[in-house]
Amino acid sequence: MKEIFKLGGILLLVTALASGALSMVNKITKPKIEEQKRLVVERALIAALPTADPKAIEKVIENDEILYYIGYTTQEKTDIAGYAFVAKKAGYSSVIETMVGVDTTGKIIGIKVMEEKETPGLGTKIEEIKYGESAPWFQLQFINRYAGELAVDKDNGPIRSITGATISSRAVTNSIKEGLEQLEKRLGGFKKQANPTQTEQVS
Amino acid sequence: MSMMSEFSKGFYKENPVFKLVLGLCPTLAVSNSVQNAIGMGVAATFVLIMSNVIVSLIRKGVPKKIRIPIYIVVIATFVTIVDLVMAGFAPALHKSLGIFVPLIVVNCIILGRAEAFAGKNPVFYSFLDGLGMGLGFTFALTIISIVRELLGNGSLWGVPLMPPSFEPVLLLILPPGAFLTLGLFLGFFNWLDAKRDA
Amino acid sequence: MENRLVVSASPHIAHKDSVKKIMFGVVISLLPAAVGGVYFFGAKAAWVIVLAILSAVITEALIEKLTKKPITIADGSAIVTGILLAFNVPPEVPWWIPVIGSAFAIAIGKVPFGGLGYNPMNPALLGRAFLLASWPSHMTIFKTAPKDGSLSGINLAAIKSYGLDAITSATPLNVFKTQRGILFEWHDVLKSGMENPALQAKADLANNAISQLSDSYANLFWGRVGGCVGETSVFLLLIGALYLIYKRYIGLRIPLTYIGTVAVLTWLFAGTEGLFSGDPLFHVLSGGLILGAFFMATDMVTSPVTPKGRIWFGVGCGVITVIIRLVGGYPEGVSYSILLMNLTVPLLDRYTKPKTFGKVEQK
Amino acid sequence: MRLKKLTFKGGVHPPEYKELAEDKAIEVMPAPEFVVIPIQQHIGAPAEPVVAVGDEVKIGDVICQAKGFVSVPSHATVSGTVKAIEPRPHPVGGNVLSIIIENDGKDEWSPDVAFDEKYAELDADEMKKRILNAGLAGMGGATFPSHVKLSPPADKPIDTFILNGAECEPYLTADHRMMLEKTRDILEGVKIIMKILNCKNGYIAIENNKPDAVRAMRQAVKEMKMDVEVVSLPVKYPQGAEKQLIKAITNRNVPAGGLPMDVGCLVHNVGTAKAIYDAVSSKKPLIERVVTVTGQGIKEPKNVLVRIGTPFEKVIEFCGGVTENTIKIVNGGPMMGIAQFSMEVPVIKGTSGILALTDKETGMRDPDPCIRCARCVDVCPMNLLPNEMARQIEYNNFDEAHQLGVLDCIECGSCSFICPSRIRHVHLFKYAKMEVTKKLKARA
Amino acid sequence: MDLNHLFVITISAIFINNFVLNRFLGICPYIGVSKNMDSAVGMGMAVVFVMTLASMVTWLIYDFMLKPTTSNIFYIIFSAKEPPDLTYLKTIAFILVIASLVQFVEMVVQKVSPTLYKSLGIYLPLITTNCAILGVAFLNLDENFNFIESIVNGFAAGVGFTLALVLMAGIRERLELAPIPKPLRGVPIAFLMAGLMAIAFLGFSGLKL
Ligand SMILES: Cc1cc2nc3c(=O)[nH]c(=O)nc-3n(C[C@H](O)[C@H](O)[C@H](O)COP(=O)(O)O)c2cc1C
Ligand SMILES: Cc1cc2nc3c(=O)[nH]c(=O)nc-3n(C[C@H](O)[C@H](O)[C@H](O)COP(=O)(O)O)c2cc1C
Ligand SMILES: Cc1cc2nc3c(=O)[nH]c(=O)nc-3n(C[C@H](O)[C@H](O)[C@H](O)COP(=O)(O)O)c2cc1C
Ligand SMILES: Cc1cc2nc3c(=O)[nH]c(=O)nc-3n(C[C@H](O)[C@H](O)[C@H](O)CO)c2cc1C
Ligand code: SF4
Ligand code: SF4
Ligand code: SF4
Ligand code: SF4
Ligand code: FES
């Protein structure tokens, strides 16, 4: 019995030491990790709203849910550069999340796929950057298009789908289209000032 | 025992993957690209070295009965360090290695070396053993991933290398490709050994 | 004279069949469908078949030569594998697809396990699954419409009159799957009470397309539809199957339970208007079901030896085929269902071992 | 009136080749210059020689005496001098102590042998004694002592007797000819057996490829006013195996490892029935039997009445000798018979046929790998998995083979016959049975 | 509780994302214990049991001890100012909990049912440091599963593991009796077979329920 307590004590001590050491490491890395998480969204927003001032992007929240973002051209927040939102839809083997930015007329000005776990080599081509190019060719096709045009070639639209990954291509395309339609409803039509319930400064 | 052999045995003679057939899950899971393979290899090597060193240091003071739990705590500590640092400084790698980073804890190479070697040998040898085994593991991961990435994606370290007309053998970077490649490598090394012994 | 006497255990006479005879029997039984493939899809289909056979045979001979084993290509099993692989790829694939597929089938699927008789899974289907996973674009795109027919099997007149051309550039099962998806989407929209005129138009088209599919039985039966080289003509395949049955090279347990299960399950679940609204005949005639049921699920090496085991094997193939066709990631499920059931063969054999004669009354 | 099809599960249809000899009436072969009579021609304990070298014997004299209950005596089959008592090659294998008698050509009979008018009134015990004294061992091939079979324990009464005239083995026609030529003798034998056992149901089972035998039997049964049924069975090997025969006729399953008497049945071969008649009516011992000498290798296939102990060579000579391309000499039928090293071996009580097979007939080839075609499984009358057992035995896994039921195998050879890969199942199973019994004994 | 959702989790864990064939977890026992059917079944049952239990326990630990919420027990016991974020200790906590849990189960089983111990117990120590068990705990976190979902996922993952293991065992018993080329015998052929199995399981990929 006594031995058990002794051994238990030693084990506890070792664990406590280890936890102590880890809490120190954690102090150093924690801010870094949180920064990384924020950067993912931030980078996506910058990509989606290239005309907005990165420091002047607000999120529109309702019931703890981010509905969309508003980007202003300057920090004075006088002119709206555009809106951004996250489009989601199930692809082949995962839910694909894309940050989409539109200008006030509803024209897409930037997109970035944030999250997907599609089949490597097939579905993941939605993020593929061809050698020598600077942006994923699949995503570039969406720039300057309006909701009405969005459909992949198999559905007689102009978006060239990835060979062998029509499902992923369709998921991205349709999620953006639906997101845009929803945003339009929320804004009460494009080219109009929205009526946000609550706004808050991002970054 | 020679220092050189403690270090070099991990590469071929006692290669953890090809010869000891240990640590298979990460080997299969992250060998789909050279980047992942080397990232995982370095992470595991770090944990191996550090846990070997610490275990060797404390080997005399640890009661026999609870040595395994204590080793596990030591290993888990270093794994957590790797996990946190990777999340903070190499988020992309962290994401693509996924749960296989924390799972280094249960990678039997590490506990195996602690138990079989570091618990019985002085610090410097344990360090060499950890380094050698870790590099051996990294080496195994790397050559598997070279085959898989080059043929399965037409690239190495993400850089396209094959002529544009090459159509990659996608299966190789899918799960079945991992099993098949490892199986063929294991068979190939058995064959090599048999040929050398003959 | 005396020293010439051979002493061996009984029996002292043997049936005249041999492995070689059986394998070449299968080759003969596949000829009608092969000729049909060439007739419907043109010379490139012939190329695919020839390349697949050559690759299978050469791969087997080469490995055996390198490993200094007896060369076994004369037994004909590699030829069967080659033909069946060719039957399972689209006619317009690049030349290296059948070559690599056959090589994989033999070099990975057969030889490492000990060669003929020991491979646990169907080599030809492994070859196909390998090709499908590696080069899905080549393996899922069908461009060649058969002679005298359309890819989807829908009659050309109907295509024109219904304005279906946009959705009929695919094989019948492809059309079925995508159009059924649209209908379900439309049902959801209807239920939610929203309006969506664009979708409604699509749903109307989908309804037309599906009803046209049902009217294409004759095309499916004769083979005037798109698809893989050897899978399209039910008629020609059945001629070969009858020959095999007549020769007793295959039994009926697997094919009948397989096809029966598919028919029942599709009748139950494959409709768009609830239970019992499916079209079993369409499902039995389309895709590679007939090819799979008579020529591939019956591969004796990779199917159970016990009578009951063969029945469960057929049922299992049927269930998985229907699951994949209705909710899976592919329009067609025959290949994968057979491969998956191959995995269960040792278990089936084990748990369906017949009771020894005389053991029945004991206990 | 039977509605069920009279058959059993499994079985094969080998080519019959019965036409070679079925129309040949039984010919009596003259006694040879010498005979070789092994002391063991039956299942059970070997008999004990009671003559010495140099002794003079007459036909029917006992030359070796039964030793124990499961054993039978043997008799001199020619008159003459005992020349030697030494091991000689035996058709069932190995060398067995044999009594060699030189024929003096006089054909003198032992005085005991005489027709007894009142034999039918003898009681069962006396009949059984005569049967034992006549040295009867089953002539269907298994050579089990007949008197033992006819003495079931009191708790296992036998209500059904089946006369086995199936002769399902290809080539063999001896039983067929006997049923045509000795119809009445056989039926008298049946009467005796049914009397000994006091059983009510009698069946005479004949495969329907012998319609003339069925007709002859039916006719004779009617004439003799016997209450037995002549059953015509579909042609399928091994229809004559007793468990399968009992299943086909009575639909009873003899338990695995059990005996026919466990289900109240007894089966005897037609040759045995005739011998029983001879033994009981005339005290005539078993000194000769009908042998079918046939096969493509025999120049003049015949059914021959041969003295027990006649060397194969002589019998074959009597049938014109063998052709050049003969590669196999078999004692028995082609499915279960035993291939011989030499033609010196003698005809014994269980020799139903002598086959000379040519290379073409045997279709011998080296085995291919098993392709799991399951034909062997489909044909096995015992419902075993021959392919699995064979594979386990090839890897010396006798425990697994035992579990798969190798001891239940009746060695009918259907599996090997049908196998396209020419797997030598029966060879493996015989070997495995030995190993398994050895192991079981060691364990016990 | 949405039963449909639980059904999807189950099917996904067994067939679509099979632990062994798709996620590469538990490969060592999969290769090591699949030579014989009886041990495969024993190991499988042990894994199902421990995975379910581990999913349950680690979920509780994570939600009530590590996560910075107001129901964190350290927050309650020490009445700290704000809930502590101890999530960085999850690896160390999980492995210790799983290891002691398995030990405890082993002891209980040994006491309560010696027969069960005989068939199951010998596999328990092997499982302690098996990545499949720890893996399921992390996956439950990754997927944000709630308590019930975690348990269902743990159970189904175990079943998926057992399925792959038992199928493999059946096939390997047959491969023992095959003339496999020497260098491939044993582990290499098992990997090739696993690869072919994984190809067959691709048939389930993209299943939409
Ligand atoms: C192993 C495997 C993984 C797949 N992964 C994806 C995927 O990530 N995204 C996708 O859209 N389709 C995927 N597919 C589906 C097929 O490629 C499917 O045929 C294709 O999506 C249909 O597109 P197509 O119309 O271009 O042929 C996968 C197929 C296989 C065999
Ligand atoms: C496979 C097999 C086939 C047999 N075929 C026959 C047959 O056709 N005729 C026959 O009389 N005995 C046949 N027998 C022998 C019988 O089972 C049984 O031993 C015999 O009929 C008993 O009679 P007996 O004691 O008079 O020899 C066969 C045995 C086996 C194992
Ligand atoms: C050890 C042994 C004991 C036997 N005991 C009897 C018996 O008591 N009664 C009986 O009718 N047959 C008995 N038999 C004979 C069998 O029933 C059967 O006739 C004989 O084995 C030959 O049959 P077969 O030619 O079908 O193989 C016995 C056989 C053996 C091997
Ligand atoms: C009826 C029958 C069906 C066959 N089906 C196939 C098949 O689907 N795929 C294949 O590779 N070989 C098939 N074969 C050939 C042979 O069995 C095959 O090559 C072996 O699986 C290789 O060991 C078949 C053979 C027969 C007799
Ligand atoms: S961690 Fe365990 S299961 Fe994995 S390789 Fe090591 S011993 Fe095997
Ligand atoms: S011994 Fe042979 S021929 Fe005679 S009855 Fe039996 S099986 Fe038929
Ligand atoms: S020899 Fe044995 S295993 Fe073969 S068929 Fe006859 S009873 Fe069955
Ligand atoms: S008949 Fe021959 S090849 Fe066919 S399963 Fe039986 S043993 Fe194998
Ligand atoms: S089981 Fe070995 S590392 Fe996963």
Side-chain angles (χ1 to χ4, degrees), chain B residues 22-26 100 103 106-108, chain E residues 24-30 129-132:
Chain B
L22 297 174
L24 299 173
C25 307
F100 286 93
L103 285 182
V106 279
N107 187 319
C108 45
Chain E
F24 305 113
L25 291 167
I27 301 298
C28 309
Y30 175 62
T129 55
N130 165 233
C131 58

Side-chain angles (χ1 to χ4, degrees), chain D residues 376 379-386 389 408-416 425-426 429:
Chain D
C376 53
V379 301
C380 177
M382 295 304 291
N383 252 349
L384 302 170
L385 299 179
M389 296 196 295
D408 293 319
C409 165
I410 57 171
E411 297 176 24
C412 69
S414 301
C415 48
S416 309
H425 302 87
V426 178
F429 298 163

Side-chain angles (χ1 to χ4, degrees), chain D residues 112-131:
Chain D
D112 288 354
V113 179
F115 187 70
D116 172 359
E117 293 276 344
K118 301 211 169 122
Y119 75 90
E121 285 143 39
L122 296 173
D123 68 359
D125 282 343
E126 175 59 23
M127 286 180 167
K128 275 195 263 183
K129 209 166 109 203
R130 289 189 179 186
I131 290 172

Side-chain angles (χ1 to χ4, degrees), chain D residues 137-144 146 149 164-169 175 207 237-245 267-273 336 410-413:
Chain D
M139 297 170 81
T143 62
F144 191 81
S146 301
K149 280 172 93 164
N164 191 346
E167 196 158 55
C168 57
E169 279 260 18
D175 290 355
E207 278 194 349
Y237 178 86
Q239 190 65 264
E242 61 186 8
K243 287 184 179 183
Q244 278 63 36
L245 194 59
V267 180
H268 260 312
N269 171 256
V270 293
T272 317
M336 292 188 68
I410 57 171
E411 297 176 24
C412 69

